[in-house]
């Protein structure tokens, strides 16, 4: 679908999205943080940050899947086929990542935050280029499909902040759904994105191909590491405890 969207409109949506997430962060300060997340300043900040991340994941994850349902040919031609709703979905997501990037840089100095800062810089750079040249929008929307899994990743984090035990049924259920959606919406999506990039390397300008290849390599490593962390912390910890008890 040939869509002519002025770049100024894309920039305006990015700005509005960033401002909306900033305002939502302030609204959460008005007594909307549960007591279990008010143990210290960092816990309060993490709760707000993850809750806003959950909102972004819910919106972009479901709408990205809807974009491909409404326009299936975009999954094959991810370079030039897109629609106005897929274009604005990417701009909305850029606004969130800009907000979250500065949010983390100002409030969180942990090692994990540096990994997320690197992730956000890569995403904003790639998505921003997509919006600027108005190509590879479908590729960016495909990347947003992984946000379906992020919904359950963020629910897991909120449960941890609120002190819900790993042995609680609701936590265990979310862990199972989390791993299942990880294997459905992350690994196949990243695999197809890598395959598409390799198959279409002759059609992609060299600078964009290099940026895409490096970004995909870094994000692939991050996803594998995150998958192992989830398995180890949510499923293998009991096995480790059992082996420890046997040694005793």
């Amino acid at each position: 679908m040939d869509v002519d969207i002025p770049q100024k409109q894309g920039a305006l949506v990015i700005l509005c999205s960033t401002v909306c997430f900033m305002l939502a962060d302030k609204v959460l300060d008005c007594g909307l943080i549960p007591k279990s997340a008010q143990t210290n300043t960092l816990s309060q900040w993490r709760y707000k940050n993850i809750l806003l991340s959950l909102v972004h994941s819910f919106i972009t994850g479901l709408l990205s899947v809807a974009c491909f349902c409404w326009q299936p040919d975009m999954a094959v031609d991810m370079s030039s086929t897109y629609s106005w709703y897929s274009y604005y979905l990417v701009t909305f997501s850029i606004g969130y990542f800009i907000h979250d990037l500065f949010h983390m840089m100002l409030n969180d100095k942990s090692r994990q935050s540096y990994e997320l800062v690197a992730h956000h810089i890569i995403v904003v750079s790639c998505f921003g280029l997509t919006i600027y040249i108005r190509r590879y929008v479908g590729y960016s929307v495909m990347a947003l499909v992984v946000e379906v899994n992020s919904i359950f990743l963020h629910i897991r984090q909120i449960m941890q902040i609120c002190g819900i035990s790993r042995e609680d049924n609701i936590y265990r259920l979310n862990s199972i759904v989390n791993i299942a959606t990880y294997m459905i919406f992350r690994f196949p999506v990243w695999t197809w994105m890598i395959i598409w990039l390799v198959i279409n390397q002759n059609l992609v300008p060299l600078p964009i191909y290099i940026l895409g290849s490096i970004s995909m390599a870094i994000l692939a490593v991050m996803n594998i590491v995150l998958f192992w962390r989830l398995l180890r912390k949510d499923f293998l910890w009991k096995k480790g405890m059992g082996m420890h008890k046997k040694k005793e």
Side-chain angles (χ1 to χ4, degrees), residues 1 67-79 81-82:
M1 184 182 297
C67 284
F68 285 106
C69 291
W70 295 329
Q71 198 173 15
D73 51 332
M74 187 170 64
V76 179
D77 179 16
M78 292 193 287
S79 59
T81 299
Y82 66 95

Side-chain angles (χ1 to χ4, degrees), residues 113-141:
S113 74
Y114 290 124
E115 296 175 6
L116 289 173
V117 165
H119 169 272
H120 285 16
I121 290 174
I122 291 172
V123 172
V124 170
S125 299
C126 294
F127 282 14
L129 178 63
T130 291
I131 296 305
Y132 181 73
I133 65 176
R134 284 173 287 188
R135 288 183 64 81
Y136 313 107
V137 175
Y139 200 79
S140 296
V141 176

Side-chain angles (χ1 to χ4, degrees), residues 33-210:
I33 302 176
K35 290 184 178 180
S36 55
Q38 295 182 20
T39 53
N40 54 60
T41 304
L42 182 60
S43 294
Q44 293 183 46
W45 173 81
R46 287 192 68 233
Y47 179 86
K48 293 191 300 176
N49 180 266
I50 295 168
L51 188 60
L52 293 179
S53 297
L54 176 59
V55 171
H56 167 262
S57 295
F58 189 83
I59 294 173
T60 56
L62 297 184
L63 288 184
S64 61
V65 173
C67 284
F68 285 106
C69 291
W70 295 329
Q71 198 173 15
D73 51 332
M74 187 170 64
V76 179
D77 179 16
M78 292 193 287
S79 59
S80 57
T81 299
Y82 66 95
S83 58
W84 63 268
Y85 41 83
S86 56
Y87 182 90
Y88 287 128
L89 180 63
V90 176
T91 57
F92 167 80
S93 189
I94 293 174
Y96 159 75
F97 281 114
I98 290 174
H99 162 263
D100 200 47
L101 176 61
F102 286 102
H103 212 219
M104 287 189 296
M105 292 174 67
L106 293 172
N107 296 280
D108 192 0
K109 305 298 181 183
S110 65
R111 188 188 69 176
Q112 188 176 7
S113 74
Y114 290 124
E115 296 175 6
L116 289 173
V117 165
H119 169 272
H120 285 16
I121 290 174
I122 291 172
V123 172
V124 170
S125 299
C126 294
F127 282 14
L129 178 63
T130 291
I131 296 305
Y132 181 73
I133 65 176
R134 284 173 287 188
R135 288 183 64 81
Y136 313 107
V137 175
Y139 200 79
S140 296
V141 176
M142 180 64 75
L144 287 174
V145 172
V146 304
E147 293 297 326
V148 174
N149 167 250
S150 295
I151 294 172
F152 303 98
L153 277 173
H154 297 318
I155 290 175
R156 173 183 179 272
Q157 291 175 302
I158 290 175
M159 287 182 178
Q160 290 177 333
I161 293 173
C162 293
I164 297 177
S165 171
R166 285 183 293 184
E167 296 184 349
D168 194 290
N169 288 336
I170 191 170
Y171 187 98
R172 292 169 64 184
L173 175 61
N174 185 75
S175 296
I176 294 171
V177 177
N178 187 22
I179 289 295
T181 54
Y182 206 108
M183 299 180 70
I184 295 171
F185 290 100
R186 281 190 185 264
F187 287 140
V189 167
W190 286 117
T191 301
W192 172 238
M193 290 178 70
I194 292 171
I195 291 173
W196 186 92
L197 194 61
V198 172
I199 292 175
N200 295 277
Q201 59 180 312
N202 294 329
L203 303 176
V204 180
L206 184 58
I208 296 177
Y209 180 77
I210 293 174

Side-chain angles (χ1 to χ4, degrees), residues 220-231:
V221 171
M222 286 183 172
N223 276 279
I224 292 172
V225 171
L226 177 58
F227 185 70
W228 168 245
R229 286 175 179 170
L230 291 171
L231 283 177

